[in-house]
Amino acid sequence: MQFKIVSCGMLAAMFGNFLCASPILAEKKSPAGTSGSGALAEYKRCSVPSATLPKDCDDTRKQIVRINSVVKLYQKGNKAVLADLISGAIDSDSYLGETYGAFFAGVAIKSPADFLQAVSLKKKTEDRETLYRITALSFPDSQVSKLNRSLQKMATQKTDKLSTFAQEFLTEIKNSR
């Protein structure tokens, strides 16, 4: 928490000079966007393969908090962090799969194109399959048919560059359920 000294000018006029004898502290607000950059930086620092994981990042509970902090950035409109979350999920251990999967399932249901676009940045087929699997395992049963319809529509549009990824995702959903 940061503090700054508040000017006494108006306070002295209203309440007398005795308030100005000592500084008054007020919470200083962070500029817009900077609070999220700290959460994202900490998430990135701790979202690396286990062989290079800093010792202070090995607590699973703290990592879940870091993930959720970045998820909040996404929910507030920072769509760019989806790629960071996808990269972090690939490098994470299996304990974090549920946390990532639940978030990815929500994104895939609401905006399958956004999810597939972010996944498509992963060149390795195995990485994409891992992302599809942890996501597919997290879908509520009531949402699977809706998502399948959306993905089938995307998969049949061969002019859409995401059609291949939609087909991959459909296959993994079928194999996972």
Side-chain angles (χ1 to χ4, degrees), residues 38-47 53-73 85 96 99-100:
L40 183 58
E42 180 66 8
Y43 170 79
K44 286 180 177 182
R45 186 180 75 80
C46 293
S47 295
L53 188 69
K55 287 196 182 279
D56 65 329
C57 293
D58 63 357
D59 184 332
T60 301
R61 291 171 297 176
K62 288 181 181 177
Q63 188 62 1
I64 290 171
V65 170
R66 289 181 194 100
I67 293 166
N68 288 331
S69 294
V70 178
V71 165
K72 286 179 184 174
L73 294 174
L85 289 163
L96 299 174
T99 303
Y100 282 112

